[in-house]
Amino acid sequence: AQSVSQHNHHVILSEAASLELGCNYSYGGTVNLFWYVQYPGQHLQLLLKYFSGDPLVKGIKGFEAEFIKSKFSFNLRKPSVQWSDTAEYFCAMGSSNTGKLIFGQGTTLQVKP
Amino acid sequence: DTGVSQDPRHKITKRGQNVTFRCDPISEHNRLYWYRQTLGQGPEFLTYFQNEAQLEKSRLLSDRFSAERPKGSFSTLEIQRTEQGDSAMYLCASSPGLAGDSETQYFGPGTRLLVL
């Protein structure tokens, strides 16, 4: 069955610390991978996406993610977090055959000033 | 372009009542999706439309749920005989539905439903 797992449910960091959020997916075919962010009181926004090509993708606000096919992973990284990065982060997978997205359960990031 | 809009933003209803939510997608987006999100979980897919055709429905969408997109523009999601377990955030998303970027979905603010 298709699934997405986010192993870190709640992460607390100090400003300027580096961030890495784990995401693993389960699917045998071609996948599109996404990271969405939800800031407090706001709706889901696309952070970055991977469809094909360079496995290292860059998104908004200094975020990047690396697709490692052999590990079925798509981890999100940022070298130096800011207080404004406090939000909930969702990894999602979409197959090329269907329109739907399958989301992980999310990671709450709290950045202390 | 004002993004995906949903109405109402909040709905409180009593068990057994019917509720209807509306979603207006980004103009000229061909695909429209509905998801449900409960506290502490990621969104779960319910159904999606390509223009006015409903192409896939999740098993989460019981026969009390019905969705329409009559003219290929806005969509409605109706829940009949609501139950307390229906309490959740209902999210709508749209995507261009064109080759190359068909899978990038843009989300609305959601409708938060509370069933008493």
Short mmCIF file of all heavy atoms in Angstrom, two decimals, chain B residues 3-35:
data_model
loop_
_atom_site.label_atom_id
_atom_site.label_comp_id
_atom_site.label_asym_id
_atom_site.label_seq_id
_atom_site.Cartn_x
_atom_site.Cartn_y
_atom_site.Cartn_z
N GLY B 3 -6.42 32.78 -5.36
CA GLY B 3 -6.19 31.49 -4.76
C GLY B 3 -7.48 30.71 -4.59
O GLY B 3 -8.56 31.14 -5.01
N VAL B 4 -7.37 29.57 -3.93
CA VAL B 4 -8.53 28.72 -3.67
C VAL B 4 -9.30 29.29 -2.49
O VAL B 4 -8.70 29.61 -1.45
CB VAL B 4 -8.09 27.28 -3.38
CG1 VAL B 4 -9.29 26.39 -3.06
CG2 VAL B 4 -7.28 26.70 -4.54
N SER B 5 -10.61 29.42 -2.64
CA SER B 5 -11.41 29.93 -1.53
C SER B 5 -12.43 28.88 -1.11
O SER B 5 -12.87 28.06 -1.93
CB SER B 5 -12.11 31.24 -1.90
OG SER B 5 -12.99 31.05 -2.98
N GLN B 6 -12.77 28.89 0.17
CA GLN B 6 -13.74 27.95 0.71
C GLN B 6 -14.72 28.68 1.60
O GLN B 6 -14.36 29.64 2.30
CB GLN B 6 -13.03 26.85 1.51
CG GLN B 6 -12.17 25.94 0.64
CD GLN B 6 -11.60 24.78 1.42
OE1 GLN B 6 -10.38 24.67 1.58
NE2 GLN B 6 -12.46 23.89 1.89
N ASP B 7 -15.94 28.18 1.59
CA ASP B 7 -16.99 28.81 2.36
C ASP B 7 -17.96 27.76 2.89
O ASP B 7 -18.35 26.86 2.13
CB ASP B 7 -17.75 29.82 1.48
CG ASP B 7 -18.81 30.57 2.26
OD1 ASP B 7 -18.43 31.41 3.12
OD2 ASP B 7 -20.00 30.31 2.03
N PRO B 8 -18.36 27.81 4.18
CA PRO B 8 -17.88 28.75 5.18
C PRO B 8 -16.51 28.35 5.71
O PRO B 8 -16.00 27.29 5.38
CB PRO B 8 -18.94 28.62 6.27
CG PRO B 8 -19.37 27.18 6.19
CD PRO B 8 -19.34 26.84 4.71
N ARG B 9 -15.92 29.18 6.53
CA ARG B 9 -14.65 28.84 7.16
C ARG B 9 -14.86 27.98 8.39
O ARG B 9 -14.00 27.14 8.72
CB ARG B 9 -13.89 30.11 7.53
CG ARG B 9 -13.48 30.95 6.33
CD ARG B 9 -12.39 30.28 5.51
NE ARG B 9 -11.23 30.00 6.31
CZ ARG B 9 -10.27 30.88 6.58
NH1 ARG B 9 -10.33 32.09 6.07
NH2 ARG B 9 -9.24 30.54 7.34
N HIS B 10 -15.99 28.18 9.03
CA HIS B 10 -16.32 27.40 10.23
C HIS B 10 -17.79 27.01 10.16
O HIS B 10 -18.62 27.81 9.70
CB HIS B 10 -16.08 28.21 11.51
CG HIS B 10 -14.69 28.72 11.63
ND1 HIS B 10 -13.68 27.99 12.19
CD2 HIS B 10 -14.14 29.90 11.25
CE1 HIS B 10 -12.56 28.70 12.16
NE2 HIS B 10 -12.81 29.86 11.59
N LYS B 11 -18.08 25.81 10.66
CA LYS B 11 -19.47 25.36 10.70
C LYS B 11 -19.67 24.51 11.95
O LYS B 11 -18.93 23.55 12.17
CB LYS B 11 -19.80 24.55 9.46
CG LYS B 11 -21.22 24.02 9.40
CD LYS B 11 -22.23 25.12 9.20
CE LYS B 11 -23.64 24.56 9.08
NZ LYS B 11 -24.64 25.65 8.89
N ILE B 12 -20.66 24.89 12.74
CA ILE B 12 -21.05 24.09 13.90
C ILE B 12 -22.45 23.58 13.62
O ILE B 12 -23.34 24.36 13.27
CB ILE B 12 -21.01 24.91 15.20
CG1 ILE B 12 -19.61 25.45 15.45
CG2 ILE B 12 -21.46 24.05 16.39
CD1 ILE B 12 -19.51 26.39 16.66
N THR B 13 -22.66 22.29 13.79
CA THR B 13 -23.96 21.71 13.52
C THR B 13 -24.28 20.63 14.54
O THR B 13 -23.39 20.17 15.28
CB THR B 13 -24.00 21.12 12.09
OG1 THR B 13 -25.34 20.79 11.75
CG2 THR B 13 -23.16 19.85 12.00
N LYS B 14 -25.52 20.26 14.60
CA LYS B 14 -25.93 19.19 15.51
C LYS B 14 -25.94 17.86 14.76
O LYS B 14 -26.21 17.82 13.55
CB LYS B 14 -27.31 19.48 16.09
CG LYS B 14 -27.34 20.70 17.00
CD LYS B 14 -28.74 20.90 17.57
CE LYS B 14 -28.78 22.11 18.49
NZ LYS B 14 -30.13 22.34 19.05
N ARG B 15 -25.66 16.84 15.49
CA ARG B 15 -25.66 15.50 14.92
C ARG B 15 -26.97 15.23 14.21
O ARG B 15 -28.05 15.55 14.72
CB ARG B 15 -25.44 14.49 16.03
CG ARG B 15 -25.26 13.05 15.60
CD ARG B 15 -24.67 12.22 16.75
NE ARG B 15 -25.40 12.42 18.00
CZ ARG B 15 -26.37 11.62 18.44
NH1 ARG B 15 -26.75 10.58 17.73
NH2 ARG B 15 -26.96 11.85 19.59
N GLY B 16 -26.86 14.68 13.00
CA GLY B 16 -28.04 14.36 12.22
C GLY B 16 -28.42 15.40 11.19
O GLY B 16 -29.21 15.12 10.28
N GLN B 17 -27.84 16.58 11.31
CA GLN B 17 -28.12 17.64 10.32
C GLN B 17 -27.27 17.45 9.07
O GLN B 17 -26.23 16.77 9.09
CB GLN B 17 -27.85 19.01 10.94
CG GLN B 17 -28.71 19.35 12.13
CD GLN B 17 -30.16 19.48 11.75
OE1 GLN B 17 -30.52 20.26 10.87
NE2 GLN B 17 -31.03 18.72 12.40
N ASN B 18 -27.71 18.07 7.99
CA ASN B 18 -26.94 18.06 6.74
C ASN B 18 -26.14 19.35 6.64
O ASN B 18 -26.61 20.42 7.07
CB ASN B 18 -27.88 17.96 5.54
CG ASN B 18 -28.69 16.68 5.54
OD1 ASN B 18 -28.37 15.73 6.26
ND2 ASN B 18 -29.76 16.65 4.76
N VAL B 19 -24.96 19.26 6.08
CA VAL B 19 -24.14 20.45 5.85
C VAL B 19 -23.59 20.42 4.43
O VAL B 19 -23.39 19.35 3.84
CB VAL B 19 -22.96 20.56 6.85
CG1 VAL B 19 -23.47 20.77 8.27
CG2 VAL B 19 -22.05 19.34 6.78
N THR B 20 -23.35 21.61 3.89
CA THR B 20 -22.79 21.72 2.55
C THR B 20 -21.67 22.74 2.57
O THR B 20 -21.83 23.85 3.11
CB THR B 20 -23.85 22.15 1.52
OG1 THR B 20 -24.89 21.17 1.50
CG2 THR B 20 -23.24 22.26 0.12
N PHE B 21 -20.55 22.38 1.97
CA PHE B 21 -19.40 23.27 1.87
C PHE B 21 -19.16 23.59 0.39
O PHE B 21 -19.39 22.76 -0.48
CB PHE B 21 -18.14 22.61 2.43
CG PHE B 21 -18.30 22.03 3.80
CD1 PHE B 21 -17.69 20.83 4.13
CD2 PHE B 21 -19.07 22.66 4.77
CE1 PHE B 21 -17.84 20.28 5.39
CE2 PHE B 21 -19.23 22.11 6.03
CZ PHE B 21 -18.61 20.91 6.34
N ARG B 22 -18.61 24.79 0.18
CA ARG B 22 -18.32 25.20 -1.18
C ARG B 22 -16.84 25.47 -1.35
O ARG B 22 -16.17 25.97 -0.43
CB ARG B 22 -19.11 26.47 -1.53
CG ARG B 22 -18.79 27.03 -2.91
CD ARG B 22 -19.58 28.27 -3.23
NE ARG B 22 -19.08 28.91 -4.44
CZ ARG B 22 -19.84 29.17 -5.50
NH1 ARG B 22 -21.13 28.87 -5.48
NH2 ARG B 22 -19.32 29.76 -6.56
N CYS B 23 -16.34 25.16 -2.53
CA CYS B 23 -14.95 25.44 -2.87
C CYS B 23 -14.89 26.11 -4.23
O CYS B 23 -15.48 25.61 -5.20
CB CYS B 23 -14.13 24.16 -2.91
SG CYS B 23 -12.45 24.38 -3.59
N ASP B 24 -14.18 27.23 -4.31
CA ASP B 24 -13.92 27.88 -5.59
C ASP B 24 -12.43 27.73 -5.90
O ASP B 24 -11.59 28.29 -5.18
CB ASP B 24 -14.31 29.35 -5.53
CG ASP B 24 -15.81 29.55 -5.54
OD1 ASP B 24 -16.43 29.53 -4.45
OD2 ASP B 24 -16.36 29.68 -6.65
N PRO B 25 -12.10 27.01 -6.94
CA PRO B 25 -10.68 26.78 -7.25
C PRO B 25 -10.04 27.99 -7.91
O PRO B 25 -10.71 28.98 -8.22
CB PRO B 25 -10.74 25.61 -8.25
CG PRO B 25 -12.04 25.83 -8.97
CD PRO B 25 -12.98 26.40 -7.93
N ILE B 26 -8.75 27.90 -8.12
CA ILE B 26 -8.05 28.93 -8.88
C ILE B 26 -8.60 28.90 -10.31
O ILE B 26 -8.84 27.83 -10.88
CB ILE B 26 -6.53 28.67 -8.87
CG1 ILE B 26 -5.99 28.87 -7.44
CG2 ILE B 26 -5.80 29.57 -9.86
CD1 ILE B 26 -4.55 28.47 -7.25
N SER B 27 -8.81 30.09 -10.84
CA SER B 27 -9.42 30.21 -12.16
C SER B 27 -8.68 29.37 -13.21
O SER B 27 -7.45 29.37 -13.26
CB SER B 27 -9.42 31.68 -12.58
OG SER B 27 -9.96 31.83 -13.85
N GLU B 28 -9.42 28.62 -13.97
CA GLU B 28 -8.91 27.80 -15.08
C GLU B 28 -8.15 26.56 -14.62
O GLU B 28 -7.54 25.87 -15.45
CB GLU B 28 -8.05 28.62 -16.04
CG GLU B 28 -8.84 29.74 -16.68
CD GLU B 28 -8.04 30.52 -17.72
OE1 GLU B 28 -6.85 30.22 -17.91
OE2 GLU B 28 -8.60 31.43 -18.33
N HIS B 29 -8.19 26.25 -13.33
CA HIS B 29 -7.63 24.97 -12.88
C HIS B 29 -8.64 23.88 -13.21
O HIS B 29 -9.81 23.96 -12.85
CB HIS B 29 -7.34 25.00 -11.39
CG HIS B 29 -5.99 25.54 -11.07
ND1 HIS B 29 -5.41 25.42 -9.81
CD2 HIS B 29 -5.09 26.21 -11.83
CE1 HIS B 29 -4.21 25.99 -9.83
NE2 HIS B 29 -4.00 26.47 -11.03
N ASN B 30 -8.17 22.83 -13.86
CA ASN B 30 -9.07 21.77 -14.29
C ASN B 30 -9.36 20.75 -13.20
O ASN B 30 -10.41 20.14 -13.19
CB ASN B 30 -8.46 21.04 -15.50
CG ASN B 30 -8.35 21.95 -16.71
OD1 ASN B 30 -9.23 22.76 -16.96
ND2 ASN B 30 -7.28 21.81 -17.45
N ARG B 31 -8.41 20.56 -12.29
CA ARG B 31 -8.59 19.54 -11.27
C ARG B 31 -8.94 20.17 -9.93
O ARG B 31 -8.38 21.21 -9.56
CB ARG B 31 -7.33 18.68 -11.13
CG ARG B 31 -7.07 17.78 -12.32
CD ARG B 31 -5.97 16.80 -12.03
NE ARG B 31 -5.83 15.82 -13.11
CZ ARG B 31 -5.00 14.80 -13.10
NH1 ARG B 31 -4.23 14.60 -12.05
NH2 ARG B 31 -4.94 13.96 -14.11
N LEU B 32 -9.84 19.51 -9.23
CA LEU B 32 -10.26 19.98 -7.91
C LEU B 32 -10.31 18.78 -6.98
O LEU B 32 -10.83 17.73 -7.34
CB LEU B 32 -11.62 20.67 -8.01
CG LEU B 32 -12.14 21.35 -6.75
CD1 LEU B 32 -13.00 22.56 -7.11
CD2 LEU B 32 -12.91 20.41 -5.85
N TYR B 33 -9.76 18.95 -5.78
CA TYR B 33 -9.63 17.86 -4.83
C TYR B 33 -10.29 18.23 -3.51
O TYR B 33 -10.26 19.39 -3.08
CB TYR B 33 -8.16 17.57 -4.54
CG TYR B 33 -7.30 17.33 -5.76
CD1 TYR B 33 -6.81 18.40 -6.50
CD2 TYR B 33 -6.96 16.04 -6.15
CE1 TYR B 33 -6.01 18.19 -7.61
CE2 TYR B 33 -6.17 15.82 -7.26
CZ TYR B 33 -5.69 16.90 -7.99
OH TYR B 33 -4.92 16.68 -9.09
N TRP B 34 -10.78 17.23 -2.81
CA TRP B 34 -11.25 17.39 -1.44
C TRP B 34 -10.45 16.46 -0.53
O TRP B 34 -10.22 15.28 -0.87
CB TRP B 34 -12.73 17.05 -1.31
CG TRP B 34 -13.66 18.07 -1.88
CD1 TRP B 34 -14.28 18.06 -3.09
CD2 TRP B 34 -14.12 19.27 -1.21
NE1 TRP B 34 -15.08 19.17 -3.24
CE2 TRP B 34 -15.01 19.93 -2.10
CE3 TRP B 34 -13.87 19.84 0.03
CZ2 TRP B 34 -15.64 21.12 -1.77
CZ3 TRP B 34 -14.50 21.03 0.36
CH2 TRP B 34 -15.36 21.66 -0.54
N TYR B 35 -10.05 17.02 0.61
CA TYR B 35 -9.33 16.25 1.62
C TYR B 35 -9.98 16.52 2.98
O TYR B 35 -10.65 17.53 3.17
CB TYR B 35 -7.86 16.69 1.72
CG TYR B 35 -7.02 16.38 0.52
CD1 TYR B 35 -7.00 17.24 -0.58
CD2 TYR B 35 -6.22 15.24 0.47
CE1 TYR B 35 -6.21 16.96 -1.70
CE2 TYR B 35 -5.43 14.95 -0.62
CZ TYR B 35 -5.43 15.82 -1.70
OH TYR B 35 -4.65 15.53 -2.80
#
